[in-house]
Amino acid sequence: MASSKEYLDFVLEQCSGLSARDMMGEYVLYYGGKVVGGIYDNRLLVKPTKSAALLLPNAPRELPYEGAKEMLLVEDIEDKELLKKLFEAMHEELPEPRKKK
Protein backbone atom coordinates (compact mmCIF):
# COMPACT_ATOMS: atom_id res chain seq x y z
CA MET A 1 0.00 0.00 0.00
CA ALA A 2 1.45 3.36 -1.00
CA SER A 3 1.39 6.30 1.40
CA SER A 4 -1.09 9.09 0.80
CA LYS A 5 -0.10 12.62 -0.15
CA GLU A 6 -2.44 13.87 2.59
CA TYR A 7 -0.52 11.97 5.29
CA LEU A 8 2.78 13.30 3.94
CA ASP A 9 1.45 16.87 3.86
CA PHE A 10 0.26 16.55 7.47
CA VAL A 11 3.66 15.31 8.67
CA LEU A 12 5.47 18.08 6.77
CA GLU A 13 3.18 20.69 8.36
CA GLN A 14 4.10 19.41 11.81
CA CYS A 15 7.79 20.33 11.58
CA SER A 16 9.45 23.16 9.68
CA GLY A 17 12.72 22.19 8.05
CA LEU A 18 11.40 18.78 7.11
CA SER A 19 11.25 17.91 3.41
CA ALA A 20 10.42 14.81 1.42
CA ARG A 21 11.31 13.04 -1.78
CA ASP A 22 8.96 10.63 -3.53
CA MET A 23 10.32 7.11 -3.89
CA MET A 24 8.09 4.48 -5.49
CA GLY A 25 4.90 5.51 -3.70
CA GLU A 26 6.62 6.15 -0.39
CA TYR A 27 8.57 9.18 0.86
CA VAL A 28 12.10 9.67 2.17
CA LEU A 29 12.27 12.43 4.80
CA TYR A 30 15.11 14.92 5.10
CA TYR A 31 15.91 17.36 7.89
CA GLY A 32 18.68 19.84 7.25
CA GLY A 33 19.74 17.88 4.19
CA LYS A 34 20.15 14.60 6.08
CA VAL A 35 17.93 11.52 5.74
CA VAL A 36 16.10 11.07 9.05
CA GLY A 37 13.46 8.54 8.05
CA GLY A 38 10.48 8.16 5.82
CA ILE A 39 6.78 7.67 5.35
CA TYR A 40 5.93 4.05 4.62
CA ASP A 41 2.35 2.76 4.40
CA ASN A 42 1.15 5.96 6.12
CA ARG A 43 3.54 5.45 9.04
CA LEU A 44 6.24 7.89 10.12
CA LEU A 45 9.39 5.83 10.66
CA VAL A 46 12.74 7.28 11.74
CA LYS A 47 16.26 5.91 11.87
CA PRO A 48 17.00 4.26 15.21
CA THR A 49 19.73 6.67 16.33
CA LYS A 50 20.70 6.98 20.00
CA SER A 51 18.86 10.28 20.33
CA ALA A 52 15.73 8.90 18.66
CA ALA A 53 15.74 5.90 21.00
CA LEU A 54 16.06 8.22 24.01
CA LEU A 55 13.25 10.51 22.87
CA LEU A 56 11.01 7.60 21.83
CA PRO A 57 11.81 4.96 24.48
CA ASN A 58 8.62 2.95 23.93
CA ALA A 59 8.49 3.25 20.15
CA PRO A 60 7.90 -0.04 18.36
CA ARG A 61 10.52 -1.10 15.83
CA GLU A 62 9.03 -1.78 12.44
CA LEU A 63 10.21 -2.64 8.97
CA PRO A 64 9.50 0.01 6.34
CA TYR A 65 9.44 -2.73 3.69
CA GLU A 66 10.57 -6.33 3.39
CA GLY A 67 14.34 -6.70 3.54
CA ALA A 68 14.95 -3.29 5.15
CA LYS A 69 16.47 -2.50 8.53
CA GLU A 70 14.13 -1.82 11.45
CA MET A 71 13.13 1.75 12.15
CA LEU A 72 11.31 3.45 15.02
CA LEU A 73 7.61 4.17 14.61
CA VAL A 74 6.62 7.70 15.63
CA GLU A 75 3.12 7.22 16.97
CA ASP A 76 2.35 10.77 18.15
CA ILE A 77 2.75 12.72 14.92
CA GLU A 78 0.63 15.56 16.32
CA ASP A 79 3.23 16.51 18.98
CA LYS A 80 5.08 19.29 17.14
CA GLU A 81 7.52 19.94 20.00
CA LEU A 82 8.53 16.29 20.17
CA LEU A 83 9.03 16.12 16.41
CA LYS A 84 11.16 19.26 16.44
CA LYS A 85 13.35 17.93 19.29
CA LEU A 86 13.56 14.54 17.60
CA PHE A 87 14.68 15.81 14.20
CA GLU A 88 17.10 18.36 15.65
CA ALA A 89 18.75 15.73 17.85
CA MET A 90 18.93 13.24 15.00
CA HIS A 91 20.42 15.87 12.67
CA GLU A 92 23.32 16.41 15.06
CA GLU A 93 23.97 12.69 15.29
CA LEU A 94 23.68 11.67 11.63
CA PRO A 95 26.68 11.91 9.27
CA GLU A 96 26.88 14.51 6.54
CA PRO A 97 25.51 13.32 3.19
CA ARG A 98 28.06 12.07 0.68
CA LYS A 99 29.13 14.52 -1.98
CA LYS A 100 28.09 13.59 -5.50
CA LYS A 101 30.94 13.33 -7.99
Side-chain angles (χ1 to χ4, degrees), residues 2 5 8-9 25-27 29-30 39-40 42-45 47 53-54 57 62 66 80 93-94 98-99:
K5 179 83 167 93
L8 169 68
D9 290 342
E26 306 297 356
Y27 301 94
L29 295 177
Y30 297 84
I39 306 252
Y40 303 93
N42 286 337
R43 299 172 297 159
L44 173 56
L45 300 176
K47 291 185 172 189
L54 285 173
E62 297 193 5
E66 194 173 320
K80 291 182 179 187
E93 195 173 337
L94 291 167
R98 295 184 194 141
K99 302 280 185 198

Side-chain angles (χ1 to χ4, degrees), residues 14 44 74 77 79-87:
Q14 297 303 93
L44 173 56
V74 180
I77 63 169
D79 187 341
K80 291 182 179 187
E81 279 301 310
L82 173 64
L83 292 178
K84 182 178 178 182
K85 285 181 190 176
L86 175 65
F87 293 129

Side-chain angles (χ1 to χ4, degrees), residues 19-62:
S19 62
R21 187 167 148 198
D22 184 15
M23 190 172 75
M24 297 185 292
E26 306 297 356
Y27 301 94
V28 177
L29 295 177
Y30 297 84
Y31 187 81
K34 297 179 181 180
V35 176
V36 291
I39 306 252
Y40 303 93
D41 297 326
N42 286 337
R43 299 172 297 159
L44 173 56
L45 300 176
V46 297
K47 291 185 172 189
T49 63
K50 288 181 184 179
S51 54
L54 285 173
L55 288 165
L56 305 169
N58 299 319
R61 291 180 176 260
E62 297 193 5

